[in-house]
Amino acid sequence: MVSLPVSFRPERAAHPAAPPLLASGSRRTCLEGEETSKLRPHPRWQYLRSLVWIRVVLNLGLLYLLGLAVVASLYSTLPTLEELARRAASRGAPAAASDLRMAIPRSFDELRAVRGTLALYHAQVPARLAALLAAAHIFLQTFLTPGAVGINILAGSLYHPVVALTFITVVSTAGSATNYLMVRWQLKDVLVALFPHRIQTFSAEVKRHRAHLMHYALFLRVTPIFPAWFINVASPIVDIPFSVFIIATAVGHQPHNLITIQAGRSLQTMHSLHDLYSLQNVALLLGIGLLALLPRLIRKLQGRRGPLLPISDPAAAGDGDKTPDHNQ
């Protein structure tokens, strides 16, 4: 019987041809996947083309008009500038209506002019003025509109420091709360679709500090590292609890509130917001923010070095304290 050479055996001759076919097929699959990923639109454009955001824009527009109507209705209850000037003249404080100004201040000159008008309103209709300032502050914070800091300074110049601090704390916390709820109910899906990578980064940072979230939230509120509007918008997206958000806002805003009240007391000598956030004030805010993280740092050091007081082991103590045998 004649045996064939090894190279002519059919089962081994057909075997080497298979790997090139598999390799070419896998290479073709990879190329097709790359072409498909290039042709696939970005998730941001997919969301914009879906037109789901139109409903969100309409809801926000309705909420904005509703808030604006509340502020306008409260403003309409105040006396007109002409009537205000006549009342002031009848009380022995003459003021020309052309010199009075009532608007959201955009500069410190306008702020001082508005302050003189508000002082007359405060002397005649204090309750209605307080309601208007509170509604305007909440409206500006809810819709991320500049001007809330100016209202804080005006409140510091009009009211007693204790009253001003209470007023600013209540309205600033209420404005941050309404902004938090609006973002959670209306804007969360929109912002996640438009800025997925940034939100994932901040969410991972919050999860890293989940065990001491209150201290971390206080640190973010006190220090000027992030603006207040960013914290208001980002907190509901990264699932910071509402209770933690409210407490951190009410407590963490106190240094800022005190600075704006002090600015209101010295309004005549200030020229811009740069005077408000001077190097001394920024250093003070950073120091207070570090104090908010101090309990966490202490616990971390204790965890590395062990407990401050030695803890005795009852079992070990029982083994070491052997009672003598009186029978010996």
Side-chain angles (χ1 to χ4, degrees):
M1 183 176 179
V2 179
S3 62
L4 293 175
V6 176
S7 59
F8 289 95
R9 291 181 183 176
E11 62 273 15
R12 296 195 178 180
H15 195 64
L21 293 176
L22 292 175
S24 62
S26 61
R27 189 179 300 109
R28 189 182 302 110
T29 304
C30 294
L31 293 176
E32 291 176 355
E34 292 178 358
E35 293 177 357
T36 304
S37 61
K38 291 180 180 179
L39 296 176
R40 186 181 304 158
H42 194 274
R44 181 181 302 174
W45 296 114
Q46 285 183 342
Y47 181 81
L48 292 176
R49 291 176 182 178
S50 66
L51 302 181
V52 179
W53 53 271
I54 294 180
R55 177 179 58 85
V56 177
V57 172
L58 293 176
N59 292 338
L60 291 178
L62 291 176
L63 292 174
Y64 185 87
L65 293 176
L66 179 61
L68 192 62
V70 172
V71 175
S73 63
L74 290 174
Y75 177 73
S76 64
T77 62
L78 296 178
T80 62
L81 297 181
E82 291 77 9
E83 184 180 356
L84 182 66
R86 287 196 301 268
R87 291 185 180 182
S90 63
R91 296 185 179 185
S98 58
D99 296 334
L100 300 179
R101 181 177 178 81
M102 192 64 175
I104 297 176
R106 302 297 181 183
S107 65
F108 266 77
D109 292 334
E110 295 181 357
L111 194 66
R112 282 187 282 268
V114 171
R115 195 270 175 199
T117 306
L118 293 182
L120 296 177
Y121 277 123
H122 179 60
Q124 300 180 21
V125 284
R128 281 182 280 178
L129 176 63
L132 176 62
L133 291 178
H137 196 291
I138 294 173
F139 173 79
L140 294 175
Q141 271 201 296
T142 301
F143 295 99
L144 304 178
T145 307
V149 175
I151 296 179
N152 290 353
I153 296 175
L154 290 173
S157 66
L158 290 173
Y159 302 118
H160 186 273
V162 177
V163 178
L165 181 62
T166 305
F167 175 83
I168 295 173
T169 301
V170 171
V171 297
S172 62
T173 304
S176 299
T178 53
N179 183 262
Y180 178 101
L181 296 175
M182 185 185 69
V183 171
R184 188 172 72 178
W185 292 338
Q186 296 294 329
L187 291 175
K188 184 175 182 179
D189 296 336
V190 177
L191 296 176
V192 169
L194 295 180
F195 309 102
H197 300 295
R198 295 182 182 180
I199 291 174
Q200 288 176 0
T201 302
F202 192 69
S203 179
E205 186 70 15
V206 171
K207 288 181 180 179
R208 191 167 67 90
H209 297 279
R210 182 66 65 177
H212 52 281
L213 189 57
M214 179 62 73
H215 298 121
Y216 183 65
L218 283 173
F219 173 77
L220 293 179
R221 274 301 186 192
V222 173
T223 56
I225 298 176
F226 297 103
W229 65 264
F230 175 80
I231 300 174
N232 293 345
V233 172
S235 295
I237 298 176
V238 298
D239 296 327
I240 293 180
F242 186 69
S243 59
V244 174
F245 175 82
I246 290 296
I247 296 174
T249 300
V251 178
H253 272 178
Q254 296 307 312
H256 297 270
N257 298 340
L258 293 174
I259 291 175
T260 54
I261 290 173
Q262 180 61 32
R265 310 301 291 181
S266 58
L267 181 60
Q268 299 300 326
T269 61
M270 296 189 65
H271 301 285
S272 66
L273 285 178
H274 296 289
D275 298 334
L276 182 64
Y277 295 103
S278 61
L279 181 60
Q280 181 180 358
N281 290 339
V282 171
L284 176 64
L285 294 177
L286 289 174
I288 297 175
L290 292 176
L291 288 178
L293 294 179
L294 189 59
R296 168 63 183 169
L297 296 176
I298 293 175
R299 286 198 296 267
K300 191 172 182 179
L301 291 175
Q302 288 181 352
R304 289 181 177 179
R305 299 178 180 178
L308 297 179
L309 296 176
I311 302 176
S312 60
D313 188 357
D319 293 339
D321 299 336
K322 294 184 180 180
T323 56
D325 190 0
H326 297 285
N327 294 328
Q328 291 180 354

